[in-house]
Amino acid sequence: MSVYTVHEEPHPVADRLDRAERLAFLRDGFSWPAALWTPFWLASRQLWGALAVYAAVVSAIGLALHLGGATVAQMSVAVAAVHLIIGYESYQLERRSYEHRGFTLAGTVAGKNKIEC
């Protein structure tokens, strides 16, 4: 079962059918694409602020570990941990982006897939 939050754009149109077609569905839960391809996923979702923070955090971790004499394997584990955090928080990042753009939360739905919801 998948859970989605439904977001309505700012200044929705009056016609109910057109309004329904413009709803945005965000899947709640862990995102494998966000965890595996974090910078590309952030860029594809146009989460530029989060991408800048990601780049700064990964750079700071890499620099700190390098100066501390860590191995490449240890640095890889640290970066993988950041990727897992992004995978778990991907829904929250997208939701905040929608709120920032003026979308309002219309509700929550659950179903087998997005089409059913």
Side-chain angles (χ1 to χ4, degrees):
M1 177 98 21
S2 297
V3 177
Y4 290 86
T5 55
V6 183
H7 300 267
E8 187 171 44
E9 67 183 0
H11 316 296
V13 295
D15 184 39
R16 284 187 177 202
L17 291 176
D18 288 339
R19 193 177 200 172
E21 289 177 0
R22 295 178 184 207
L23 293 174
F25 289 80
L26 292 179
R27 186 175 176 272
D28 192 13
F30 186 80
S31 171
W32 280 107
L36 295 174
W37 303 289
T38 299
F40 303 109
W41 183 85
L42 291 170
S44 71
R45 299 287 198 265
Q46 299 180 358
L47 299 170
W48 307 118
L51 181 59
V53 170
Y54 164 80
V57 166
V58 168
S59 297
I61 288 172
L63 181 62
L65 290 175
H66 178 69
L67 294 176
T71 65
V72 174
Q74 291 169 329
M75 288 186 217
S76 298
V77 169
V79 171
V82 172
H83 281 236
L84 287 175
I85 291 169
I86 296 292
Y88 279 110
E89 296 299 321
S90 61
Y91 162 72
Q92 295 298 332
L93 292 170
E94 282 191 284
R95 185 183 58 77
R96 287 186 190 131
S97 172
Y98 273 98
E99 286 176 0
H100 181 70
R101 290 185 281 165
F103 281 69
T104 57
L105 179 65
T108 304
V109 295
K112 292 180 185 175
N113 53 39
K114 187 176 180 179
I115 306 239
E116 184 178 293
C117 289

